[in-house]
Amino acid sequence: MAKVWSKRFDNALNPFIEKFNASIGFDRKLILEDLECSIAHAKMLGKTQVLSSSETLQIIDGLKKIKEEYLEGKFLPSPPSEDIHYCIEEKLISLIGETGKKLHTGRSRNDQVGTDIRLWLRKEIDNVEILITDLQKSFLNLAKSNIYTLIPGYTHMQRAQPLSLAHHFLAYLEMFQRDRERFKEVRSRVNTSPLGAAALAGTKIKIDRKFTAQELGFEKIYKNSIDAVSDRDFCIEFVSASALLMSHLSKISEEIILWVTDEFSFAKLTDKCATGSSLMPQKKNPDVPELIRGKTGRVYGHLQALLTMVKGLPLAYNKDFQEDKEPLFDTAETISSCVKAMTILINEGLELNIDKLSDSVENDFSNATDLADYLVDKQVPFRTAYQVVGEIVKYCLERKMLFKSLKIDDFKKFHPKFDEDVFSNLEPINVVKSRISEGGTGFQQVEKEINNWQKKLLF
Ligand code: ARG
């Protein structure tokens, strides 16, 4: 097939370079958006009377026919077309003849590709927003049934203080909420139309940018034609928001992987979400969270690739931009599959070992802060109380004892303000209950937060 520019050249492209230059292998993913963009452009050219109404109709019918054929599987964009934009133009000309050659009036592939990506990304963001909300609902359900389940809280991966397990899950709801907010902000910048910027300078053809923007559902248009075709910030912002989302998914994945070890035994994987080993018959592997943790790396990689792609690029369109698509496509696919897989894992993949969880907060020193706060309540300065408890911990460790196995007289040897009520203060359930500060793990706080989430997500 002759290139559209062949008249200006004497020789054909080297076949290897032709393939090297082409993006049809991956940008065919944008076919529906490219058609949508072209239909809006053609309508606009009709409205401004650049095209006659019969030409406009012919072009729009041709484009609709292409869509139909594509959806019926009768048309697959492929080489030798260089990219999806040429491919559709060529197909249109083959369908409707000479009039098809008028479609590209007053536009360039530069503003066209920018428009296509934005249309595609906007849909992806809407989809991911729904998926993250579903994931939040799963976490909320798990939280609702585990308000009074206790779990050791860790800092530095060392036992710190007991927590309501619901509080632990609610922390993830917060993270995913920030992810949603970030995607929403990115969406508003994605939702800006570059169409009509043409190659970089605008055009002398009578176009109406606001009309095409409105047709395509864009909130606004780029104010500067050079910026319009040079901007890939929105791609980077999307991948950056995705990278943070993956970091959150990777965090919960890591926790699940730890929880299902024999050493932790806080949970078991159900058969629906676990795999066996080819060699070791006893094994049940957490492949799902491991894959999610592993896939985080590729999204971080895409972010790096895009940041590097734009670094030092002069204005306006440069072919480097063709490299924006694969990282973007793969990021969107990766995050949506990871969010879906995590939702399934949370809904039906985990069996919490409640006995082990409650047992584990009984037999440690994670109530040490509460022992100190007990003295603080009795007017002992915190630093003094903290040091007294430090001595008690050491005393217990040397004797392989826990606080609860001490007698009241033992306590009194360390500080006279200790009384019988110290024992109930040390019980994990009371320890958790007492964390009444706003945002703390106290049951009342947790219940309040669950109600708030319930309103936010379910109504
Ligand atoms: N395939 C190109 C891309 O994905 C389309 C834009 C080409 N523009 C150009 N001036 N060569 O970026």
Side-chain angles (χ1 to χ4, degrees):
M1 191 189 305
K3 298 284 173 205
V4 291
W5 67 77
S6 60
K7 297 275 185 240
R8 187 234 177 274
F9 287 71
D10 292 325
N11 293 307
L13 259 178
N14 169 300
F16 182 84
I17 297 301
E18 179 163 10
K19 271 195 204 141
F20 183 73
N21 194 45
S23 53
I24 188 75
F26 48 87
D27 67 13
R28 59 171 156 234
K29 206 183 186 80
L30 297 173
I31 181 168
L32 294 176
E33 289 74 20
D34 198 72
L35 287 165
E36 196 184 344
C37 169
S38 289
I39 290 174
H41 181 69
K43 257 192 206 170
M44 180 277 293
L45 291 177
K47 180 185 165 266
T48 57
Q49 293 174 349
V50 173
L51 297 180
S52 72
S53 52
S54 87
E55 288 169 332
T56 309
L57 272 181
Q58 233 186 314
I59 290 178
I60 293 176
D61 283 351
L63 292 168
K64 286 186 178 161
K65 175 97 181 99
I66 299 176
K67 181 173 175 179
E68 225 175 84
E69 281 189 28
Y70 168 73
L71 293 176
E72 285 169 3
K74 291 185 196 147
F75 167 59
L76 181 70
S78 48
S81 293
E82 178 184 318
D83 61 22
I84 189 63
H85 323 293
Y86 278 145
C87 179
I88 288 177
E89 190 179 333
E90 286 153 7
K91 174 81 177 163
L92 182 71
I93 296 167
S94 80
L95 276 178
I96 67 167
E98 281 299 293
T99 314
K101 295 185 180 170
K102 294 197 170 183
L103 172 63
H104 211 55
T105 313
R107 76 172 184 189
S108 151
R109 279 185 303 158
N110 299 349
D111 55 341
Q112 191 181 351
V113 70
T115 308
D116 292 0
I117 306 173
R118 285 170 180 84
L119 290 174
W120 177 85
L121 194 52
R122 197 175 64 186
K123 253 189 267 171
E124 288 298 318
I125 293 176
D126 292 344
N127 181 43
V128 90
E129 150 78 14
I130 296 170
L131 294 176
I132 301 178
T133 312
D134 284 347
L135 179 60
Q136 285 182 303
K137 287 179 188 169
S138 310
F139 271 102
L140 178 59
N141 280 334
L142 210 50
K144 268 167 32 188
S145 43
N146 285 290
I147 301 174
Y148 294 97
T149 308
L150 304 188
I151 183 172
Y154 296 80
T155 64
H156 311 262
M157 277 304 283
Q158 301 287 318
R159 291 275 175 97
Q161 295 174 339
L163 297 169
S164 147
L165 181 55
H167 195 54
H168 191 98
F169 290 134
L170 290 179
Y172 283 101
L173 270 132
E174 296 287 344
M175 291 175 230
F176 295 128
Q177 187 65 17
R178 285 198 295 277
D179 290 322
R180 282 175 58 190
E181 283 163 16
R182 262 187 289 271
F183 281 116
K184 201 169 154 201
E185 283 162 26
V186 177
R187 190 192 194 279
S188 81
R189 278 185 288 277
V190 168
N191 208 14
T192 308
S193 174
L195 196 59
L200 79 166
T203 172
K204 69 178 277 189
I205 306 288
K206 195 164 181 296
I207 61 167
D208 183 343
R209 293 191 58 203
K210 295 214 171 82
F211 178 86
T212 43
Q214 206 177 6
E215 279 291 300
L216 296 168
F218 285 116
E219 271 166 41
K220 45 193 183 297
I221 62 172
Y222 276 86
K223 297 222 169 77
N224 179 301
S225 62
I226 313 170
D227 180 45
V229 289
S230 308
D231 182 21
R232 290 295 182 274
D233 293 359
F234 66 99
C235 300
I236 297 173
E237 285 185 67
F238 171 75
V239 179
S240 163
S242 302
L244 279 169
L245 166 65
M246 288 304 296
S247 82
H248 300 149
L249 291 171
S250 177
K251 222 181 248 278
I252 181 68
S253 295
E254 173 66 14
E255 294 201 318
I256 293 171
I257 293 163
L258 286 174
W259 289 355
V260 301
T261 57
D262 281 342
E263 288 70 16
F264 270 81
S265 296
F266 286 176
K268 266 202 254 168
L269 290 170
T270 65
D271 293 355
K272 284 187 181 168
C273 292
T275 48
S277 152
S278 65
L279 173 72
M280 297 161 280
Q282 84 284 9
K283 290 200 62 192
K284 202 169 191 189
N285 293 331
D287 289 27
V288 177
E290 285 173 322
L291 270 175
I292 295 174
R293 190 179 57 184
K295 283 174 191 285
T296 304
R298 67 201 265 170
V299 175
Y300 288 7
H302 293 325
L303 178 60
Q304 192 60 41
L306 289 178
L307 282 167
T308 313
M309 180 191 82
V310 297
K311 180 187 175 295
L313 273 191
L315 296 174
Y317 178 86
N318 297 275
K319 188 78 169 194
D320 311 47
F321 283 165
Q322 187 161 288
E323 286 294 306
D324 61 3
K325 283 161 214 66
E326 287 162 294
L328 205 57
F329 295 161
D330 188 68
T331 297
E333 206 175 298
T334 304
I335 61 170
S336 71
S337 65
C338 288
V339 173
K340 269 191 222 163
M342 181 56 78
T343 305
I344 296 173
L345 188 60
I346 297 295
N347 283 344
E348 51 189 271
L350 269 189
E351 241 167 53
L352 294 166
N353 187 348
I354 307 286
D355 291 343
K356 177 70 201 271
L357 282 162
S358 40
D359 206 47
S360 54
V361 291
E362 290 290 341
N363 301 309
D364 61 16
F365 291 96
S366 62
N367 47 5
T369 317
D370 302 85
L371 198 54
D373 286 346
Y374 171 91
L375 290 176
V376 168
D377 271 350
K378 303 205 167 184
Q379 311 310 319
V380 179
F382 174 75
R383 191 51 72 212
T384 309
Y386 162 93
Q387 280 161 351
V388 167
V389 176
E391 282 177 320
I392 306 179
V393 171
K394 192 166 145 196
Y395 177 90
C396 288
L397 285 173
E398 282 165 2
R399 289 164 183 75
K400 295 200 168 40
M401 290 170 89
L402 292 166
F403 294 145
K404 64 182 175 190
S405 30
L406 294 176
K407 301 274 174 290
I408 185 63
D409 290 340
D410 300 324
F411 276 117
K412 280 191 187 292
K413 272 185 231 149
F414 290 97
H415 203 286
K417 293 253 167 95
F418 279 120
D419 246 321
E420 279 294 343
D421 59 347
V422 69
F423 293 103
S424 72
N425 270 265
L426 288 175
E427 282 169 30
I429 196 94
N430 292 331
V431 165
V432 175
K433 192 169 157 191
S434 71
R435 303 266 191 261
I436 51 170
S437 59
E438 209 163 327
T441 193
F443 301 119
Q444 270 183 353
Q445 289 298 321
V446 171
E447 272 165 15
K448 193 177 90 186
E449 281 311 305
I450 286 183
N451 282 336
N452 288 339
W453 280 113
Q454 185 103 347
K455 276 183 220 139
K456 236 190 261 184
L457 296 174
L458 303 179
F459 299 111

